[in-house]
Amino acid sequence: MVRGLDLLSAFWRHLSSRLIKRFDPLMTAVEADLIQRQRHVDFSVFGAVPLEIYVETKEQKYLNMGKFVSDRQWENPTPEGLTSETRFWIDDMYMITVVQVLAFRATGDSKYLDRAALEMVTYLDKLQQANGLFYHAPDVPFYWGRGNGWVAAGMTELLRALPEDHPRRARVRDGYRKMMKALLEFQGKDGMWRQLIDHPEAWPETSSTGMFTFALITGVKNGWLALVGYIDQNADVTSICEGTSKKNELEYYLVRARRTGDFHGQAPVLWCASALLR
């Protein structure tokens, strides 16, 4: 297991060095013009890259560039306190929030988290449907796969950063859980999600499937999804059905006793943990 973690760490360092090598020319006068300066959510998300590099390297030049983008995004907020780049496309639930979340991770300044949380809650209230999924936009009532993937990833990254006592954390967590439940219901028999999530005839789409898988795994590891909440302070699993024979009677099964710490439940939870570590 240790060897596996060492290899993963080495691979991560390799990818980071390649990212920095590719990004650094943009810090020069020769290639700086390649950076799109237009104030638009699709261009502002660029700020996430230097902020992530700063978190890894602690080199000030990356922080300066990332903060410029993240602060400019809120220079002229709406009367509600949202960024002027708000357009209510579900893509924005990642594109906007990830820049602010990374600015928080880089600086420790909670104003960035507050911005991201306000934006996320406003989008949740406007775009999440009763079934837990999200229309692409208020006037486009389709459950586009990758757009919903951006939502799932955005909520996941925000929840990783929001402290437990943040006033908007519960709302974001509720929206996240509602979406994860819906995704399980719409997953195809092949394990994939579709280009249009609720259309089984649509083709299986990989970017959305990757983001949904990321969101689900992260939720399990951080205890946002149901199973971890059933482990008590003694590391005993609760709500385990007692040993059961068979009987052709509905009530017999409905009234089976709930056990805590029963090995029938302890082992499957350990299986889940080992699956996440493999």
Side-chain angles (χ1 to χ4, degrees):
M1 181 62 195
V2 173
R3 177 61 175 163
L5 290 175
D6 288 343
L7 288 173
L8 183 60
S9 178
F11 182 60
W12 179 259
R13 290 195 299 271
H14 172 67
L15 289 179
S16 294
S17 65
R18 290 185 63 185
L19 170 63
I20 294 169
K21 183 178 180 179
R22 186 164 184 176
F23 184 86
D24 273 351
L26 296 175
M27 307 290 290
T28 67
V30 176
E31 297 195 20
D33 288 343
L34 295 175
I35 301 173
Q36 176 56 252
R37 308 291 179 178
Q38 182 179 345
R39 295 177 185 240
H40 188 281
V41 60
D42 288 346
F43 302 132
S44 294
V45 72
F46 167 84
V49 181
L51 288 168
E52 182 64 43
I53 294 176
Y54 172 77
V55 170
E56 295 289 327
T57 66
K58 298 299 185 286
E59 291 191 41
Q60 187 68 33
K61 62 182 181 180
Y62 301 115
L63 179 61
N64 293 343
M65 178 179 282
K67 275 193 66 181
F68 169 77
V69 177
S70 58
D71 288 334
R72 189 183 70 167
Q73 199 168 42
W74 250 266
E75 274 184 352
N76 300 297
T78 70
E80 297 78 22
L82 305 172
T83 171
S84 58
E85 295 176 8
T86 299
R87 59 180 178 172
F88 292 114
W89 292 24
I90 51 174
D91 320 40
D92 308 348
M93 297 176 78
Y94 180 87
M95 305 297 179
I96 293 173
T97 57
V98 73
V99 176
Q100 300 301 316
V101 167
L102 281 168
F104 165 74
R105 289 178 182 160
T107 66
D109 191 333
S110 62
K111 74 179 181 183
Y112 297 109
L113 273 188
D114 293 339
R115 291 172 179 175
L118 173 62
E119 201 79 18
M120 183 66 74
V121 166
T122 304
Y123 272 66
L124 280 168
D125 291 344
K126 192 172 186 70
L127 294 176
Q128 190 168 34
Q129 303 304 304
N131 66 2
L133 300 179
F134 294 78
Y135 287 157
H136 193 179
D139 58 342
V140 183
F142 299 104
Y143 301 123
W144 174 43
R146 184 164 59 255
N148 275 265
W150 288 127
V151 175
M155 285 194 288
T156 298
E157 285 300 287
L158 180 56
L159 283 171
R160 287 182 61 218
L162 280 177
E164 290 291 335
D165 60 353
H166 193 280
R168 291 192 168 93
R169 180 181 173 83
R171 176 68 184 94
V172 178
R173 186 190 59 226
D174 289 348
Y176 166 87
R177 286 175 171 168
K178 187 176 180 180
M179 185 185 199
M180 296 303 106
K181 181 177 183 296
L183 289 174
L184 294 177
E185 295 171 359
F186 284 102
Q187 187 178 23
K189 292 180 180 178
D190 58 357
M192 300 287 288
W193 281 270
R194 268 43 198 173
Q195 162 68 353
L196 285 177
I197 296 175
D198 59 333
H199 283 261
E201 75 276 14
W203 47 275
E205 204 280 322
T206 53
S207 66
S208 59
T209 298
M211 287 189 275
F212 296 152
T213 303
F214 162 75
L216 286 161
I217 290 174
T218 306
V220 171
K221 294 186 75 170
N222 285 278
W224 308 331
L225 298 177
L227 193 56
V228 177
Y230 286 87
I231 301 175
D232 68 15
Q233 67 273 18
N234 299 314
D236 287 331
V237 181
T238 63
S239 293
I240 303 166
C241 179
E242 66 180 335
T244 302
S245 184
K246 68 170 186 174
K247 189 173 184 179
N248 187 17
E249 180 181 296
L250 174 63
E251 191 66 15
Y252 171 76
Y253 290 94
L254 291 177
V255 300
R256 302 308 295 163
R258 299 184 187 191
R259 303 295 191 198
T260 294
D262 190 296
F263 291 155
H264 289 96
Q266 297 289 112
V269 172
L270 291 174
W271 295 346
C272 292
S274 67
L276 289 169
L277 293 172
R278 284 174 186 166

